[in-house]
Amino acid sequence: MLLFRATVFLLLIAAGVCFAFYMGTGQAKYREWGLVILKWTIIAALGFFGVLILERLV
């Protein structure tokens, strides 16, 4: 559980850094990378919490 939380936290920081680079440089590739990282982080988090909810129901 702690490992998953740390991974999600680091991925969110990585997305934030990508967005900061985008604001600093104006290069669209950093915005795209940030959005991809953010999208997959949210998908992974939803999947993880879905499994936790299913465990409580069963």
Side-chain angles (χ1 to χ4, degrees), residues 12-35:
L12 288 174
I13 288 175
V17 168
C18 286
F19 290 131
F21 281 173
Y22 169 67
M23 291 189 323
T25 64
Q27 295 183 14
K29 68 178 180 180
Y30 293 119
R31 187 179 125 253
E32 292 172 16
W33 288 353
L35 288 173

